[in-house]
Amino acid sequence: MFVRAVIRTAACEGHRLIKPTAPSVRPLKRSLRLLTAFLTRSLSVSTRMPEIKTDNLDQKQVQLLSEMCILIDEDDKRTGADTKKNCHLNSNIDKGLLHRAFSVFLFNSEEKLLLQQRSDAKITFPGCFTNTCCSHPLSKPEELEEQGAIGVRRAAQRRLEAELGIPMNQVPPEEMTYLTRIHYKAQSDGVWGEHEIDYILFMQKDVELQPDTNEVKSHRYVSKEELKELLEKAKRNEVLITPWFSLIADTFLFKWWDNLQNLKQFMDHDRIHRM
Protein backbone atom coordinates (compact mmCIF):
# COMPACT_ATOMS: atom_id res chain seq x y z
CA MET A 1 0.00 0.00 0.00
CA PHE A 2 2.76 2.42 0.97
CA VAL A 3 4.81 1.54 -2.10
CA ARG A 4 1.85 2.10 -4.42
CA ALA A 5 1.13 5.44 -2.75
CA VAL A 6 4.72 6.61 -3.19
CA ILE A 7 4.72 5.50 -6.80
CA ARG A 8 1.44 7.28 -7.47
CA THR A 9 2.86 10.42 -5.85
CA ALA A 10 6.07 10.15 -7.83
CA ALA A 11 4.12 9.62 -11.03
CA CYS A 12 1.87 12.59 -10.31
CA GLU A 13 4.84 14.80 -9.46
CA GLY A 14 6.53 13.70 -12.65
CA HIS A 15 3.54 14.61 -14.77
CA ARG A 16 3.12 17.88 -12.93
CA LEU A 17 6.73 18.98 -13.39
CA ILE A 18 7.44 17.51 -16.80
CA LYS A 19 5.12 17.17 -19.69
CA PRO A 20 6.55 13.97 -21.09
CA THR A 21 7.18 13.74 -24.73
CA ALA A 22 7.29 10.35 -26.39
CA PRO A 23 11.08 9.94 -25.93
CA SER A 24 10.90 10.89 -22.22
CA VAL A 25 8.16 8.41 -21.21
CA ARG A 26 10.39 5.34 -21.38
CA PRO A 27 13.03 6.67 -18.90
CA LEU A 28 10.26 7.75 -16.53
CA LYS A 29 8.69 4.29 -16.52
CA ARG A 30 12.08 2.70 -15.97
CA SER A 31 12.73 5.03 -13.02
CA LEU A 32 9.39 4.12 -11.48
CA ARG A 33 10.16 0.41 -11.83
CA LEU A 34 13.50 0.91 -10.07
CA LEU A 35 11.80 2.92 -7.33
CA THR A 36 9.23 0.14 -6.86
CA ALA A 37 11.94 -2.51 -6.51
CA PHE A 38 13.95 -0.40 -4.06
CA LEU A 39 11.01 0.43 -1.79
CA THR A 40 9.75 -3.14 -1.82
CA ARG A 41 13.16 -4.47 -0.76
CA SER A 42 13.54 -1.78 1.91
CA LEU A 43 10.14 -2.42 3.47
CA SER A 44 10.67 -6.16 3.37
CA VAL A 45 13.97 -5.86 5.22
CA SER A 46 12.65 -3.43 7.82
CA THR A 47 9.60 -5.53 8.72
CA ARG A 48 11.14 -9.00 8.55
CA MET A 49 11.01 -10.77 11.92
CA PRO A 50 13.83 -13.12 12.91
CA GLU A 51 13.03 -16.72 12.13
CA ILE A 52 13.11 -18.65 15.40
CA LYS A 53 13.06 -22.40 15.14
CA THR A 54 11.41 -24.25 18.01
CA ASP A 55 11.77 -27.83 16.72
CA ASN A 56 14.52 -28.56 19.24
CA LEU A 57 12.49 -27.26 22.20
CA ASP A 58 10.09 -29.10 24.49
CA GLN A 59 6.71 -29.04 22.77
CA LYS A 60 4.71 -28.47 25.96
CA GLN A 61 6.83 -25.41 26.70
CA VAL A 62 6.52 -24.27 23.07
CA GLN A 63 2.72 -24.32 23.41
CA LEU A 64 2.99 -21.91 26.34
CA LEU A 65 4.80 -19.41 24.08
CA SER A 66 1.43 -18.41 22.62
CA GLU A 67 0.17 -17.09 25.97
CA MET A 68 -0.43 -13.34 25.96
CA CYS A 69 1.73 -11.40 28.41
CA ILE A 70 1.04 -7.85 29.60
CA LEU A 71 3.22 -5.20 27.95
CA ILE A 72 4.18 -2.21 30.08
CA ASP A 73 6.36 0.87 30.02
CA GLU A 74 9.16 1.51 32.52
CA ASP A 75 6.63 2.96 34.99
CA ASP A 76 4.61 -0.28 34.87
CA LYS A 77 1.79 1.36 32.90
CA ARG A 78 0.03 -1.10 30.61
CA THR A 79 0.68 -0.50 26.92
CA GLY A 80 -0.77 -3.63 25.33
CA ALA A 81 -0.18 -7.36 25.05
CA ASP A 82 2.08 -9.73 23.13
CA THR A 83 2.92 -13.40 23.07
CA LYS A 84 5.23 -14.95 25.60
CA LYS A 85 7.45 -15.85 22.65
CA ASN A 86 7.84 -12.27 21.45
CA CYS A 87 8.34 -10.99 25.00
CA HIS A 88 11.29 -13.34 25.56
CA LEU A 89 13.20 -12.88 22.30
CA ASN A 90 16.42 -10.94 22.82
CA SER A 91 15.86 -9.24 19.46
CA ASN A 92 12.70 -7.63 20.88
CA ILE A 93 14.12 -7.04 24.35
CA ASP A 94 16.98 -5.08 22.77
CA LYS A 95 14.33 -2.77 21.28
CA GLY A 96 12.85 -2.17 24.74
CA LEU A 97 9.99 -4.68 24.91
CA LEU A 98 9.05 -5.00 28.59
CA HIS A 99 6.41 -7.14 30.33
CA ARG A 100 4.91 -7.68 33.79
CA ALA A 101 5.98 -10.64 35.94
CA PHE A 102 6.00 -11.90 39.52
CA SER A 103 8.22 -13.85 41.91
CA VAL A 104 6.71 -15.81 44.80
CA PHE A 105 8.66 -16.59 47.98
CA LEU A 106 6.78 -19.25 49.95
CA PHE A 107 7.91 -20.12 53.50
CA ASN A 108 6.70 -22.96 55.68
CA SER A 109 5.85 -22.78 59.39
CA GLU A 110 9.53 -23.40 60.20
CA GLU A 111 10.40 -20.25 58.21
CA LYS A 112 12.22 -22.25 55.54
CA LEU A 113 12.00 -21.02 51.96
CA LEU A 114 10.74 -23.31 49.20
CA LEU A 115 13.11 -23.32 46.23
CA GLN A 116 12.64 -24.97 42.89
CA GLN A 117 15.12 -26.00 40.25
CA ARG A 118 13.70 -25.18 36.84
CA SER A 119 13.30 -28.18 34.55
CA ASP A 120 15.69 -28.78 31.69
CA ALA A 121 12.67 -28.35 29.38
CA LYS A 122 12.31 -24.65 30.25
CA ILE A 123 13.15 -22.29 27.39
CA THR A 124 14.74 -19.63 29.58
CA PHE A 125 17.24 -20.48 32.33
CA PRO A 126 16.75 -24.28 32.30
CA GLY A 127 18.21 -26.19 35.24
CA CYS A 128 18.63 -23.05 37.35
CA PHE A 129 17.69 -22.85 41.03
CA THR A 130 15.29 -20.08 41.85
CA ASN A 131 12.64 -18.89 44.29
CA THR A 132 9.36 -20.75 44.76
CA CYS A 133 7.62 -19.64 41.58
CA CYS A 134 8.38 -17.11 38.83
CA SER A 135 5.98 -16.39 35.98
CA HIS A 136 3.70 -13.80 34.34
CA PRO A 137 0.17 -12.53 34.73
CA LEU A 138 -1.69 -12.92 31.46
CA SER A 139 -3.63 -10.36 29.45
CA LYS A 140 -7.06 -11.48 30.61
CA PRO A 141 -9.55 -9.57 32.78
CA GLU A 142 -8.98 -11.34 36.11
CA GLU A 143 -5.18 -10.92 35.88
CA LEU A 144 -5.20 -7.41 34.45
CA GLU A 145 -6.89 -5.96 37.54
CA GLU A 146 -4.33 -3.69 39.19
CA GLN A 147 -5.90 -2.59 42.49
CA GLY A 148 -3.66 -3.99 45.22
CA ALA A 149 -1.92 -6.10 42.57
CA ILE A 150 -4.84 -8.53 42.81
CA GLY A 151 -4.46 -9.60 39.17
CA VAL A 152 -0.80 -10.48 39.72
CA ARG A 153 -1.65 -12.38 42.91
CA ARG A 154 -4.33 -14.38 41.07
CA ALA A 155 -1.75 -15.26 38.43
CA ALA A 156 0.62 -16.41 41.18
CA GLN A 157 -2.07 -18.67 42.59
CA ARG A 158 -2.64 -20.17 39.13
CA ARG A 159 1.05 -20.83 38.51
CA LEU A 160 1.72 -22.28 41.99
CA GLU A 161 -0.78 -24.95 41.12
CA ALA A 162 0.50 -25.42 37.55
CA GLU A 163 4.17 -25.73 38.48
CA LEU A 164 4.19 -27.17 41.99
CA GLY A 165 0.76 -28.79 42.21
CA ILE A 166 -0.24 -26.69 45.23
CA PRO A 167 -4.05 -26.75 45.58
CA MET A 168 -5.39 -23.29 44.82
CA ASN A 169 -7.41 -23.17 48.04
CA GLN A 170 -4.14 -23.41 49.99
CA VAL A 171 -2.66 -20.28 48.38
CA PRO A 172 -5.46 -17.70 48.21
CA PRO A 173 -4.38 -14.34 46.74
CA GLU A 174 -5.51 -12.43 49.83
CA GLU A 175 -2.89 -14.28 51.91
CA MET A 176 -0.03 -13.17 49.66
CA THR A 177 1.89 -10.05 50.69
CA TYR A 178 2.83 -7.78 47.80
CA LEU A 179 6.07 -6.09 48.87
CA THR A 180 7.55 -4.15 45.96
CA ARG A 181 8.68 -4.34 42.33
CA ILE A 182 12.04 -4.79 40.64
CA HIS A 183 12.99 -4.01 37.04
CA TYR A 184 15.73 -6.15 35.52
CA LYS A 185 16.96 -7.52 32.19
CA ALA A 186 18.96 -10.72 31.56
CA GLN A 187 19.89 -12.92 28.63
CA SER A 188 19.41 -16.67 28.91
CA ASP A 189 21.25 -17.44 25.67
CA GLY A 190 21.75 -15.84 22.26
CA VAL A 191 18.04 -16.06 21.42
CA TRP A 192 16.00 -15.93 24.64
CA GLY A 193 16.00 -13.65 27.65
CA GLU A 194 13.99 -11.74 30.24
CA HIS A 195 13.02 -8.09 30.58
CA GLU A 196 10.49 -7.66 33.35
CA ILE A 197 9.03 -5.55 36.07
CA ASP A 198 8.74 -8.23 38.71
CA TYR A 199 6.20 -8.10 41.57
CA ILE A 200 7.63 -9.61 44.77
CA LEU A 201 5.07 -11.72 46.65
CA PHE A 202 5.68 -13.29 50.08
CA MET A 203 3.61 -15.97 51.76
CA GLN A 204 4.00 -18.23 54.80
CA LYS A 205 1.97 -21.43 54.64
CA ASP A 206 2.37 -25.18 54.94
CA VAL A 207 1.19 -26.58 51.62
CA GLU A 208 0.87 -29.84 49.71
CA LEU A 209 3.26 -30.28 46.79
CA GLN A 210 2.99 -32.33 43.63
CA PRO A 211 5.35 -30.67 41.12
CA ASP A 212 4.97 -30.97 37.36
CA THR A 213 8.24 -32.47 36.14
CA ASN A 214 7.94 -30.52 32.89
CA GLU A 215 8.22 -27.35 34.98
CA VAL A 216 10.27 -28.36 38.03
CA LYS A 217 13.36 -30.58 38.07
CA SER A 218 13.71 -30.59 41.86
CA HIS A 219 12.53 -28.67 44.92
CA ARG A 220 13.52 -28.25 48.53
CA TYR A 221 12.99 -26.12 51.60
CA VAL A 222 16.10 -24.27 52.78
CA SER A 223 17.13 -22.34 55.85
CA LYS A 224 18.96 -19.03 55.54
CA GLU A 225 22.31 -20.75 56.06
CA GLU A 226 21.52 -23.41 53.47
CA LEU A 227 20.57 -20.74 50.94
CA LYS A 228 23.78 -18.82 51.63
CA GLU A 229 25.73 -22.03 50.93
CA LEU A 230 23.84 -22.49 47.66
CA LEU A 231 24.58 -18.91 46.62
CA GLU A 232 28.28 -19.46 47.36
CA LYS A 233 28.22 -22.58 45.17
CA ALA A 234 26.70 -20.48 42.39
CA LYS A 235 29.56 -17.99 42.68
CA ARG A 236 31.95 -20.91 42.20
CA ASN A 237 29.91 -22.05 39.16
CA GLU A 238 28.99 -25.29 40.89
CA VAL A 239 25.25 -24.67 40.47
CA LEU A 240 23.15 -22.28 38.39
CA ILE A 241 20.90 -19.56 39.86
CA THR A 242 18.39 -17.45 37.95
CA PRO A 243 19.51 -13.82 37.60
CA TRP A 244 16.40 -12.33 39.23
CA PHE A 245 16.74 -14.62 42.28
CA SER A 246 20.42 -13.76 42.57
CA LEU A 247 19.64 -10.03 42.44
CA ILE A 248 16.92 -10.29 45.07
CA ALA A 249 19.02 -12.51 47.33
CA ASP A 250 21.97 -10.12 47.14
CA THR A 251 19.88 -7.07 48.04
CA PHE A 252 16.61 -7.56 49.93
CA LEU A 253 15.83 -11.19 50.65
CA PHE A 254 17.55 -11.82 53.96
CA LYS A 255 16.31 -8.56 55.47
CA TRP A 256 12.75 -9.48 54.53
CA TRP A 257 13.27 -13.05 55.72
CA ASP A 258 14.38 -11.79 59.15
CA ASN A 259 11.05 -9.98 59.45
CA LEU A 260 8.51 -12.48 58.15
CA GLN A 261 6.09 -11.53 60.92
CA ASN A 262 6.49 -7.82 60.29
CA LEU A 263 6.66 -7.35 56.51
CA LYS A 264 4.41 -4.31 56.42
CA GLN A 265 7.38 -2.03 57.10
CA PHE A 266 8.93 -3.11 53.78
CA MET A 267 5.87 -2.66 51.59
CA ASP A 268 6.69 -0.08 48.91
CA HIS A 269 4.20 0.07 46.05
CA ASP A 270 5.37 3.43 44.70
CA ARG A 271 8.98 2.66 43.88
CA ILE A 272 10.31 0.32 41.20
CA HIS A 273 13.82 -0.87 42.04
CA ARG A 274 16.03 -0.73 38.95
CA MET A 275 18.44 -3.66 39.20
Side-chain angles (χ1 to χ4, degrees):
M1 183 73 72
F2 174 75
V3 172
R4 288 198 297 270
V6 171
I7 292 169
R8 283 198 298 270
T9 301
C12 289
E13 292 298 327
H15 282 290
R16 188 176 298 126
L17 296 172
I18 305 170
K19 184 177 180 181
T21 60
S24 67
V25 170
R26 190 175 294 111
L28 177 61
K29 287 183 177 179
R30 182 172 180 275
S31 297
L32 290 176
R33 282 198 301 271
L34 290 172
L35 177 62
T36 302
F38 171 78
L39 290 172
T40 301
R41 284 197 304 272
S42 298
L43 289 173
S44 175
V45 169
S46 65
T47 59
R48 187 180 298 133
M49 292 295 291
E51 183 179 349
I52 304 299
K53 294 182 179 180
T54 58
D55 297 345
N56 61 326
L57 301 176
D58 179 86
Q59 288 309 298
K60 185 175 179 181
Q61 293 294 322
V62 168
Q63 290 174 5
L64 296 175
L65 291 177
S66 63
E67 291 182 334
M68 297 299 290
C69 294
I70 302 168
L71 298 182
I72 50 176
D73 63 18
E74 292 200 350
D75 294 319
D76 195 26
K77 304 299 183 186
R78 185 158 54 95
T79 61
D82 207 339
T83 62
K84 182 179 176 182
K85 176 182 178 181
N86 284 339
C87 287
H88 290 83
L89 287 173
N90 288 328
S91 56
N92 293 327
I93 291 171
D94 290 342
K95 298 172 186 173
L97 199 65
L98 176 64
H99 63 279
R100 189 172 288 164
F102 62 82
S103 285
V104 178
F105 292 76
L106 177 65
F107 301 83
N108 64 14
S109 56
E110 298 178 359
E111 297 196 353
K112 289 188 173 183
L113 171 62
L114 178 59
L115 301 185
Q116 66 156 282
Q117 182 183 18
R118 292 163 67 86
S119 82
D120 293 331
K122 298 292 281 187
I123 293 171
T124 58
F125 303 100
C128 291
F129 283 94
T130 194
N131 50 287
T132 311
C133 180
C134 329
S135 192
H136 319 90
L138 300 180
S139 184
K140 55 184 183 178
E142 63 269 27
E143 296 185 11
L144 283 167
E145 191 173 342
E146 295 183 348
Q147 184 65 36
I150 185 61
V152 171
R153 289 185 282 139
R154 287 172 182 149
Q157 179 191 40
R158 171 177 58 81
R159 289 303 298 173
L160 284 167
E161 181 185 46
E163 295 183 20
L164 292 157
I166 302 174
M168 293 181 74
N169 62 1
Q170 294 185 10
V171 283
E174 58 269 19
E175 293 185 17
M176 299 177 190
T177 299
Y178 160 40
L179 287 178
T180 190
R181 293 166 289 176
I182 69 166
H183 177 189
Y184 78 96
K185 179 164 65 173
Q187 284 196 3
S188 178
D189 56 29
V191 176
W192 305 98
E194 296 282 3
H195 188 205
E196 305 176 329
I197 289 182
D198 196 18
Y199 283 64
I200 308 302
L201 305 175
F202 266 43
M203 187 174 194
Q204 186 173 9
K205 192 82 175 279
D206 290 327
V207 296
E208 300 169 21
L209 295 168
Q210 192 172 356
D212 179 350
T213 55
N214 188 258
E215 294 284 343
V216 179
K217 184 174 183 177
S218 68
H219 68 281
R220 61 171 125 160
Y221 283 96
V222 295
S223 66
K224 294 171 194 171
E225 290 307 313
E226 289 169 333
L227 179 56
K228 288 175 183 177
E229 290 175 9
L230 185 68
L231 294 171
E232 286 300 318
K233 286 184 177 180
K235 290 177 182 177
R236 297 193 299 267
N237 296 317
E238 296 175 14
V239 297
L240 298 173
I241 302 283
T242 60
W244 61 88
F245 183 44
S246 179
L247 287 169
I248 295 166
D250 286 344
T251 51
F252 305 115
L253 177 56
F254 290 98
K255 177 173 60 177
W256 294 335
W257 199 339
D258 286 338
N259 293 274
L260 277 183
Q261 311 309 319
N262 188 25
L263 288 171
K264 191 173 182 179
Q265 61 180 310
F266 301 110
M267 292 172 64
D268 183 356
H269 299 171
D270 295 324
R271 182 179 175 187
I272 299 172
H273 301 274
R274 314 292 177 181
M275 311 292 276

